[in-house]
Amino acid sequence: MQINFSIASDAQLVKEHFQLEVTDEYRTSYNAHPSDLLPVITSKTPEGLSFFYWGINPSFTKSRSVSNKLLYAPVEDILTKPSLKKALQLRRCVIIADGFYDWKDIAKKEKVPYRFHLQNNSLFGIAGLWDSFETESGELIHTFMMITTPASKEVQKVTDRMPAILNEDLMMEWLNESNTSDTMLPFVKPYEEEHIFSYTVNPKLADPAFNNEALWKKVPPANQFGNLTLFS
């Protein structure tokens, strides 16, 4: 599973949608990849954006592969893993996005990329957990993981997992630092509140350097090798 996402909305839209301060550090991305520095909202500082690395200390990326264990936290596993349960109580965040991507298996060793989005490419928040550690040089690094749920009925046509999209009420609870209870977790479910649109996109999605508006354009279904396919 490789769920990438986009946060291509301009700073003013982000500010208005989430009602927070957006600094000049904010950068758009059509193709957010693991180890990228990306905007999140934390329960400790919900009044503004923070910028954390997705899943891994970037200084390790040349010598270590990015593990799914560092990227995704299945909602079903959080209460059974002490480190995740502690993060749920103390280190929650919201990952801001305006779309996400996944791949549909169409044959053995063959897959096709899809983009998913809400009406009008509206912004939304994804439940996340964050952590921090100190490097050997004394630098404090902040990272985040994306919580995932089973796929909604619409997303199931492509894949069996999806980001844990939060509605507005649950997002407020998620960002309420005084709420250290795990009772909110059962409400983190497959997102069914709005229609989720989907279409096939350029297989260059797999390339972190392919990061521009062309990735939002619908194209004929092609596999990861760029070969057109009859399957979609």
Side-chain angles (χ1 to χ4, degrees), residues 72-186:
Y72 309 107
V75 68
E76 303 93 327
D77 295 350
I78 291 176
L79 295 183
T80 63
K81 296 185 177 181
S83 61
L84 294 181
K85 184 174 181 179
K86 184 176 180 179
L88 174 69
Q89 295 171 338
L90 301 175
R91 297 188 300 275
R92 297 184 303 276
C93 66
V94 168
I95 305 155
I96 66 171
D98 46 26
F100 66 94
Y101 308 95
D102 209 335
W103 298 76
K104 181 178 181 179
D105 292 323
I106 59 171
K108 190 175 182 179
K109 298 183 179 179
E110 191 173 0
K111 54 188 179 180
V112 171
Y114 279 75
R115 177 174 184 257
F116 301 88
H117 66 95
L118 302 182
Q119 183 74 38
N120 298 322
N121 294 311
S122 296
L123 284 153
F124 55 87
I126 301 168
L129 303 172
W130 65 272
D131 205 349
S132 62
F133 62 92
E134 190 173 313
T135 66
E136 292 181 358
S137 63
E139 181 184 6
L140 189 64
I141 299 291
H142 294 89
T143 65
F144 71 87
M145 299 175 69
M146 176 189 293
I147 296 178
T148 66
T149 71
S152 66
K153 292 179 181 178
E154 294 164 332
V155 178
Q156 280 176 9
K157 299 171 185 177
V158 175
T159 184
D160 60 356
R161 304 293 299 182
M162 68 181 292
I165 299 175
L166 303 173
N167 65 32
E168 289 187 13
D169 291 338
L170 187 53
M171 190 184 304
M172 291 181 63
E173 287 299 310
W174 196 257
L175 292 173
N176 182 354
E177 189 181 18
S178 64
N179 186 355
T180 60
S181 169
D182 56 23
T183 56
M184 74 184 93
L185 199 62

Side-chain angles (χ1 to χ4, degrees), residues 50-88:
S50 299
F51 297 89
F52 293 176
Y53 291 99
W54 184 10
I56 191 169
N57 176 1
S59 67
F60 291 163
T61 56
K62 292 182 180 179
S63 58
R64 297 187 183 183
S65 61
V66 179
S67 168
N68 278 351
K69 293 180 181 178
L70 301 171
L71 301 176
Y72 309 107
V75 68
E76 303 93 327
D77 295 350
I78 291 176
L79 295 183
T80 63
K81 296 185 177 181
S83 61
L84 294 181
K85 184 174 181 179
K86 184 176 180 179
L88 174 69

Side-chain angles (χ1 to χ4, degrees), residues 212-223:
N212 58 65
E213 61 185 6
L215 196 50
W216 275 21
K217 294 182 179 179
K218 181 178 180 180
V219 301
N223 65 20

Side-chain angles (χ1 to χ4, degrees), residues 178-222:
S178 64
N179 186 355
T180 60
S181 169
D182 56 23
T183 56
M184 74 184 93
L185 199 62
F187 296 98
V188 180
K189 297 178 178 180
Y191 189 74
E192 304 274 8
E193 296 197 11
E194 297 181 50
H195 180 71
I196 297 178
F197 301 85
S198 65
Y199 55 86
T200 52
V201 294
N202 196 311
K204 289 183 180 180
L205 167 69
D207 180 2
F210 188 68
N211 193 334
N212 58 65
E213 61 185 6
L215 196 50
W216 275 21
K217 294 182 179 179
K218 181 178 180 180
V219 301

